Amino acid sequence: MTTRRTVVGGACASLVAPWLLPGFAQAAEASYPQRPIKLVVPNPPGGPSDIVARFLAESMRTPLGQPLIIDNRPGASGLIGTAAVANAPADGYAVLVTSRSNHIIAPLVQQGAQANPQRDLAPVGLALRAIGVMATPGKSPWRSMRDFLAQAKAQPGKLFYGSAGIGSTNHIAIEQLKSLAGIDLVHVPYKGSGPLITGLMAGEVQLALLDFSSAQSALQSGSIRALAHSASHRLPSMADVPTLAESGFPRFDPSFWIGLAVPRATPAPVIERLSKALDVALAETQMKARAQVNGWELVGGGPKALEATIRQDMDDFPALVQRLDLKS
């Protein structure tokens, strides 16, 4: 006999949200994505992460079958955008364009940070490494890193290096170089990469770490000179400039990496789909051409490459940030 309780119970069961049922969740993962994906950039438009994001959005659209919409969320050294993705539903429709700046350094520097990327995010893949160039003024006497380091050791505390600001990637990187090389340089923080390059050209500082694309114009004009770079091999456009490994620093990697990450609880099939789409995008002829122009080393290879990069940075940077007392 059918009771009222049975009827009511059956009616209630039919009202259960379908996405709470295991079968529905598995089907949704298998058919992912079914709508546009938000690609969150935790930086303003026009910066390196934003440029890379726009190229990836264009190239990943075909393998995913859905558009990727750029959502710039700058602020708090990238932690506002990072927190927005960390707190988003773990369904693959919010993807973070992440970098060393917001993923590693900002959480170490900022007290009460809005997000903990190590805890809250899962890696999708390492898109690329933007080559870092150790540069000096064009009129300087140094022709190599060894030349510069020799004078720095002979004159401790007499040479200056510039950065894009306290706690910036190039600030932390040159402090790391100081520790590795046993030299004493005086830090001059600028307000961004543009003023830093201007100061280097004018000889206000004797050394700076610049990303390859930002340095190109000044390098070509001779206003600054490259002493070494972070690529794994010599570059056709700077064939006479050695790598940092050739200059005696095989473990020093000041490249500006960019990857993709999603909320930690995102299902593995969704992460795999995004990762494969990233690899397809990086293999495109057009993307390879862009990489050559901008000084990018395309990576890919799934989440493990980004995991390894994050692990290495977490081995290197916390102690250095603590020693420099970089807190905000």
Side-chain angles (χ1 to χ4, degrees):
M1 182 178 73
T2 302
T3 65
R4 183 175 182 276
R5 180 177 296 177
T6 303
V7 171
V8 172
C12 291
S14 68
L15 296 176
V16 173
W19 52 86
L20 296 179
L21 301 175
F24 182 92
Q26 291 169 4
E29 291 168 19
S31 60
Y32 169 85
Q34 297 176 307
R35 63 178 190 269
I37 297 166
K38 187 183 295 183
L39 204 55
V40 178
V41 180
N43 311 100
S49 293
D50 180 70
I51 292 169
V52 172
R54 292 176 192 278
F55 288 152
L56 290 178
E58 179 185 329
S59 299
M60 291 175 67
R61 177 171 184 155
T62 298
L64 287 172
Q66 291 286 348
L68 287 84
I69 310 301
I70 303 297
D71 182 9
N72 293 94
R73 298 279 191 98
S77 299
L79 290 181
I80 288 178
T82 302
V85 173
N87 295 325
D91 54 10
Y93 291 99
V95 179
L96 178 69
V97 180
T98 195
S99 68
R100 176 177 285 144
S101 177
N102 67 287
H103 208 106
I104 305 296
I105 296 175
L108 292 172
V109 171
Q110 293 199 22
Q111 296 178 330
Q114 300 180 49
N116 181 338
Q118 316 304 316
R119 179 195 66 207
D120 301 334
L121 297 171
V124 168
L126 183 60
L128 57 85
R129 296 180 185 276
I131 295 168
V133 178
M134 286 291 181
T136 192
K139 295 181 180 180
S140 77
W142 308 295
R143 300 286 169 176
S144 69
M145 281 297 295
R146 287 188 170 90
D147 291 344
F148 177 85
L149 295 176
Q151 185 155 351
K153 288 180 179 179
Q155 296 181 297
K158 300 296 183 181
L159 299 180
F160 296 82
Y161 81 89
S163 78
I166 294 174
S168 62
T169 297
N170 44 18
H171 174 206
I172 301 295
I174 294 189
E175 286 295 333
Q176 190 180 14
L177 173 68
K178 285 170 56 177
S179 179
L180 291 169
I183 57 174
D184 180 14
L185 304 175
V186 178
H187 179 216
V188 179
Y190 289 83
K191 293 182 178 179
S193 296
L196 168 60
I197 293 174
T198 300
L200 183 65
M201 291 166 58
E204 296 172 356
V205 292
Q206 287 74 55
L207 185 71
L209 172 67
L210 307 172
D211 73 273
F212 181 91
S213 57
S214 297
Q216 278 300 288
S217 178
L219 287 169
Q220 290 170 359
S221 70
S223 301
I224 63 174
R225 179 185 303 126
L227 300 179
H229 59 74
S230 67
S232 58
H233 56 276
R234 293 209 181 194
L235 304 173
S237 59
M238 297 191 295
D240 59 338
V241 179
T243 66
L244 281 164
E246 290 177 301
S247 303
F249 300 96
R251 279 198 70 254
F252 178 46
D253 179 17
S255 56
F256 301 80
W257 60 259
I258 294 175
L260 300 181
V262 289
R264 175 62 65 181
T266 302
V270 172
I271 293 176
E272 183 178 6
R273 184 76 197 280
L274 286 167
S275 179
K276 287 182 176 178
L278 174 61
D279 285 351
V280 169
L282 297 177
E284 277 192 350
T285 301
Q286 189 176 21
M287 196 67 181
K288 290 179 179 178
R290 288 166 171 162
Q292 188 170 2
V293 170
N294 289 284
W296 299 336
E297 290 188 313
L298 304 180
V299 184
K304 288 186 178 180
L306 182 53
E307 285 176 0
T309 298
I310 292 169
R311 193 181 311 117
Q312 183 64 64
D313 280 359
M314 290 306 295
D315 285 343
D316 293 341
F317 286 103
L320 185 56
V321 168
Q322 185 175 20
R323 177 170 64 80
L324 294 173
D325 194 25
L326 297 177
K327 294 293 183 184
S328 64

